[in-house]
Amino acid sequence: MEHIDLPALTRAAGTVRLPGSKSISNRMLLLAALAQGETEIRDLLDSDDTKVMLEALKKVGVGVTVTGVNAYRITGCGGPFPGKSGDLFMGNAGTAIRPLTAALALSGGHYRLSGVPRMHERPIGDLVDGLRQIGADVRYAGKDGFPPLEIFPAAVKLAAPIRVRGDVSSQFLTALLMALPLTGETAVIEMTTELISKPYIEITLNLMSRFGVTVEREGWQRFTLRGGQRYVSPGVVHVEGDASGASYFLAAGAIGGGPVRVEGVGRGSIQGDVRFAEALAVMGARIEMGENWIEASAPATGKLKAFDLDLNHIPDAAMTLAVAALFADGPCTLRNIASWRVKETDRIAAMAAELRKLGAAVEEGADWITVAPAPTYSRNAAIDTYDDHRMAMCFSLVALGGVPLRINDPKCVAKTFPDYFDRFGRIAAPVIAIDGPSASGKGTVAQRVAETLGFHFLDSGALYRLTALAALRAGVALDDETGVAAVAATLPAEFPGDRILLAGDDVTEAIRAEEIGVGASKVAALPAVRTALLERQRAYRRLPGLVADGRDMGSVVFPEAPVKVFLTASAEARAERRHKQLIGKGMPANMRPLLQDILQELRERDARDAARSVAPLKQEEDAELVDTTPLGIDEAVAAVLDIVRRKLPQVVS
Ligand SMILES: Nc1ncnc2c1ncn2[C@@H]1O[C@H](COP(=O)(O)OP(=O)(O)O)[C@@H](O)[C@H]1O
Ligand SMILES: Nc1ccn([C@H]2C[C@H](O)[C@@H](COP(=O)(O)OP(=O)(O)O)O2)c(=O)n1
């Protein structure tokens, strides 16, 4: 069985940009397709389900243009689909087949809808019944009540209210609501059973109103769509981040100190799961919220509080609380979570079994679970995930309590969050930041420390050197800020083994040339260049940890680094090292700069790196000074490892 081993972690801090919400992505695609005008959709989720929707829309005559990363222009039909026939493959995308069935049934064409075998086991009968009540001609091509479906043109009549069940899936109601404006007539929907997952209907109503169609609602029983309303493109729309996915990172901030900020959901969010932040606040976590972001930090007291909460409104995100409960100051009870029993797995049973492996005392009932924290937890427990993405994601948080563990079958996160563990590493992997002037030994020491600890290594100077070299090769002047920033943003660099490639060309040696060092120092003074390289550097933060060397590792790129070292040496010692390095490389004496010239150039570079307006080279207040003037390489490495041992005792044995 594949697995991932998470080390004992102590601190989580940083920023995560969330992937787009699946529910919102597919609703927006359909509404944009039915609307009059062009809609620019930004931050669309890149997943199997959205691909299915995009392909289907193209087949029935909707204009789809890719305008950027996760950005599309949808040319709406201003009414029913113009393509009057089509064979549409829906994969296993519930959020595509349900609303499309309704919209196609009202488009006056002949269509077939099918999917993977599992899709043909997922019920759609309540929706088909609803559509048949208004005269739509939808037939089962396989088993009654399930896809595949065949749809024929039919005359629709809306005289009587449409009566549908609400207790199986709220997606049937969503599908009808989104499609009915195609008729142009007044339509009424009445629920025959209690509606579940109301927050999802709120999302539907909210998005419909953004496209100009309002629904009158009497409680959750009766919905009226007045006739004569049409969808009109609102122009540019952004897909919110996935709020359930946000819960892991917010809990990470609450358990691991924080602050952890998620971007893509916030006060303006229309997803019910943002209320997870309220539950964390009940646990004492400090929560801040903006229109489009939420930030979580540990309680001021340092200890999370026990809770007893009804979590019916946030069943998915609530799983995260069951794991956070391990670090609370008393037993925690999660109530009204019966739906856990019928999700990807029986989540109550699965949660109880895996929490017990860690040593927590767990009690469970039909629709509740109580987790009593233990003073210490078993190390290196192997957690099973039951093919349930949320089990894998929640249990990653255990590591932040300083408890190493194994997570089996981690790839199950692909269902909603394929790069979850990379993103988790970007807020939780410890960073050792080593900054200092040229030839202080940063690169040599950082690399050795990384090898000793088994950590990843970032030579940030190499990125500035690559930028300078790439700019020179492209004929871009090194003081052309916009031009060089564009080069930096699209740097075609690769780092196979010990080599460095630029557009496939081996430049490992070329970027070490003195004139490229000077060029690097010049382009590094341009703010737009620094911004262009920022995220690229942060992406190096991965588990089990990172050693990063440069000028602003501790101040700008990884300000939350738990270990910050300022490595320096006298200018004379550094000039001498560079001189020796050149001799060591076999540079002939007649081509070698004189020691005094190296010293002069080094002083000029120090001055430029320290005087620039953005991210100047300086010792941060929380960085420890290591002066290597009197030290050999081994001693310098030992000095840094001593600091790591003191600050991160769990990573050095
Ligand atoms: N503490 C030290 N004592 C002597 N020489 C050193 C020491 N640290 C590094 N060096 C040597 O100095 C040169 C420059 O070191 P490097 O790691 O490239 O510095 P930086 O990355 O800070 O520019 C290398 O040849 C390296 O072997
Ligand atoms: N994090 C960083 C790393 C390097 N730079 C700039 C400043 C340096 O003069 C150049 C080259 O960096 P590099 O670390 O490769 O240079 P040295 O080996 O220390 O001479 O890039 C920076 O501004 N910020």
Side-chain angles (χ1 to χ4, degrees):
M1 158 102 60
E2 266 192 64
H3 61 257
I4 183 170
D5 285 324
L6 299 180
L9 301 168
T10 49
R11 193 162 152 55
T15 299
V16 180
R17 173 121 211 120
L18 298 165
S21 148
K22 181 173 74 174
S23 315
I24 296 180
S25 290
N26 266 354
R27 282 174 176 79
M28 273 193 182
L29 284 174
L30 182 64
L31 293 174
L34 301 179
Q36 196 180 335
E38 290 191 334
T39 307
E40 302 272 347
I41 305 185
R42 309 261 164 89
D43 305 322
L44 196 82
L45 173 66
D46 178 14
S47 76
D48 292 348
D49 287 18
T50 48
K51 286 193 190 97
V52 158
M53 180 64 108
L54 283 163
E55 284 312 308
L57 292 177
K58 280 193 235 170
K59 278 199 171 171
V60 293
V62 178
V64 175
T65 315
V66 178
T67 54
V69 179
N70 301 331
Y72 293 83
R73 180 181 311 119
I74 306 295
T75 308
C77 313
F81 296 120
K84 294 301 176 200
S85 67
D87 231 329
L88 307 175
F89 180 70
M90 298 281 105
N92 194 12
T95 56
I97 194 171
R98 288 154 181 170
L100 269 175
T101 296
L104 291 167
L106 305 181
S107 281
H110 178 205
Y111 310 98
R112 279 194 206 91
L113 291 156
S114 63
V116 298
R118 170 74 187 143
M119 175 63 103
H120 297 170
E121 295 168 358
R122 298 174 67 180
I124 198 161
D126 291 341
L127 173 62
V128 172
D129 288 349
L131 290 167
R132 285 176 175 173
Q133 287 173 43
I134 55 172
D137 188 354
V138 183
R139 303 179 199 172
Y140 297 112
K143 200 160 35 133
D144 266 9
F146 300 87
L149 302 174
E150 194 163 1
I151 297 172
F152 295 89
V156 169
K157 42 189 184 314
L158 285 157
I162 309 169
R163 294 171 56 77
V164 284
R165 288 174 61 152
D167 58 345
V168 175
S169 167
S170 66
Q171 287 187 27
F172 302 144
L173 176 59
T174 284
L176 284 169
L177 286 168
M178 289 206 295
L180 282 168
L182 289 180
T183 65
E185 295 173 38
T186 296
V188 177
I189 304 175
E190 282 175 2
M191 307 313 295
T192 57
T193 55
E194 166 91 22
L195 178 65
I196 59 163
S197 310
K198 298 180 183 81
Y200 283 103
I201 298 303
E202 299 211 55
I203 293 177
T204 304
L205 299 182
N206 188 304
L207 294 177
M208 285 172 65
S209 84
R210 273 204 233 168
F211 281 80
V213 171
T214 53
V215 178
E216 292 156 34
R217 149 171 105 70
E218 288 154 55
W220 294 99
Q221 232 87 57
R222 198 178 147 92
F223 300 83
T224 304
L225 272 147
R226 295 265 162 239
Q229 302 191 77
R230 316 184 73 198
Y231 290 123
V232 179
S233 166
V236 180
V237 287
H238 289 262
V239 175
E240 274 182 31
D242 184 71
S244 321
S247 72
Y248 312 107
F249 301 102
L250 295 175
I255 299 167
V260 173
R261 178 178 286 215
V262 293
E263 287 178 349
V265 294
R267 205 179 290 125
S269 176
I270 58 170
Q271 298 170 79
D273 270 354
V274 286
R275 293 189 59 197
F276 174 78
E278 294 167 16
L280 267 190
V282 168
M283 294 188 78
R286 285 169 294 164
I287 303 290
E288 288 190 46
M289 212 181 269
E291 203 48 26
N292 191 34
W293 56 268
I294 309 178
E295 199 172 270
S297 310
T301 58
K303 188 80 190 160
L304 289 166
K305 289 192 287 208
F307 62 86
D308 183 332
L309 290 172
D310 181 325
L311 296 165
N312 190 259
H313 59 297
I314 51 167
D316 287 347
M319 287 178 77
T320 313
L321 292 173
V323 175
L326 292 172
F327 306 108
D329 63 4
C332 301
T333 302
L334 293 80
R335 295 189 192 278
N336 203 358
I337 49 167
S339 67
W340 280 26
R341 297 259 182 219
V342 294
K343 295 281 176 139
E344 277 78 348
T345 180
D346 177 341
R347 284 177 167 169
I348 294 184
M351 183 60 77
E354 302 311 307
L355 290 173
R356 284 184 188 125
K357 280 187 189 166
L358 293 164
V362 183
E363 285 178 60
E364 56 171 294
D367 68 346
W368 59 271
I369 187 167
T370 297
V371 182
T376 58
Y377 293 106
S378 311
R379 299 169 72 80
N380 305 311
I383 300 298
D384 288 312
T385 48
Y386 307 76
D387 201 16
D388 182 349
H389 54 136
R390 298 205 184 280
M391 284 292 286
M393 295 191 279
C394 315
F395 273 87
S396 66
L397 300 171
V398 174
L400 282 170
V403 183
L405 79 166
R406 168 168 292 186
I407 294 187
N408 285 328
D409 188 21
K411 292 218 177 102
C412 65
V413 299
K415 180 148 200 260
T416 46
F417 211 144
D419 61 348
Y420 174 75
F421 285 101
D422 285 345
R423 305 281 196 106
F424 179 69
R426 283 174 71 170
I427 56 152
V431 177
I432 298 167
I434 303 184
D435 290 306
S438 182
S440 57
K442 299 179 304 296
T444 311
V445 171
Q447 208 156 0
R448 291 266 299 269
V449 169
E451 271 164 32
T452 309
L453 301 176
F455 276 22
H456 301 278
F457 168 58
L458 165 63
D459 171 4
S460 61
L463 294 175
Y464 289 96
R465 288 172 180 268
L466 279 163
T467 302
L469 180 64
L472 289 171
R473 286 188 175 178
V476 176
L478 295 189
D479 58 358
D480 169 3
E481 180 162 0
T482 314
V484 182
V487 169
T490 55
L491 208 55
E494 291 165 273
F495 303 86
D498 285 345
R499 291 178 314 130
I500 301 180
L501 307 183
L502 184 62
D505 183 18
D506 191 331
V507 295
T508 319
E509 287 304 315
I511 61 161
R512 297 294 156 198
E514 214 47 38
E515 68 271 19
I516 298 299
V518 173
S521 162
K522 285 184 182 157
V523 299
L526 306 172
V529 173
R530 303 199 76 82
T531 306
L533 291 176
L534 192 58
E535 282 313 309
R536 188 160 193 155
Q537 295 173 83
R538 288 189 175 149
Y540 278 82
R541 186 177 177 189
R542 290 197 297 265
L543 293 169
L546 174 69
V547 184
D549 101 69
R551 303 292 189 286
D552 61 344
M553 297 298 99
S555 56
V556 176
V557 183
F558 304 109
E560 64 286 331
V563 181
K564 296 183 186 175
V565 175
F566 191 77
L567 203 75
T568 186
S570 69
E572 290 75 12
R574 292 186 284 125
E576 203 142 316
R577 287 176 194 171
R578 275 280 182 261
H579 193 237
K580 278 201 191 136
Q581 213 175 9
L582 297 178
I583 297 172
K585 278 186 190 163
M587 190 182 266
N590 59 348
M591 290 180 62
R592 217 161 45 221
L594 295 174
L595 179 61
Q596 71 211 51
D597 293 339
I598 296 181
L599 180 60
Q600 164 98 21
E601 199 153 276
L602 206 123
R603 286 196 163 123
E604 282 168 18
R605 184 124 78 97
D606 283 357
R608 187 164 45 231
D609 290 348
R612 67 182 176 220
S613 60
V614 279
L617 172 68
K618 68 171 174 32
Q619 184 186 348
E620 288 291 292
E621 263 174 33
D622 53 351
E624 305 219 14
L625 182 70
V626 175
D627 185 344
T628 67
T629 314
L631 305 180
I633 293 176
D634 289 345
E635 292 166 304
V637 171
V640 171
L641 283 173
D642 267 347
I643 297 172
V644 178
R645 196 169 288 119
R646 206 161 13 89
K647 298 250 167 138
L648 287 176
Q650 79 282 7
V651 307
V652 191
S653 42

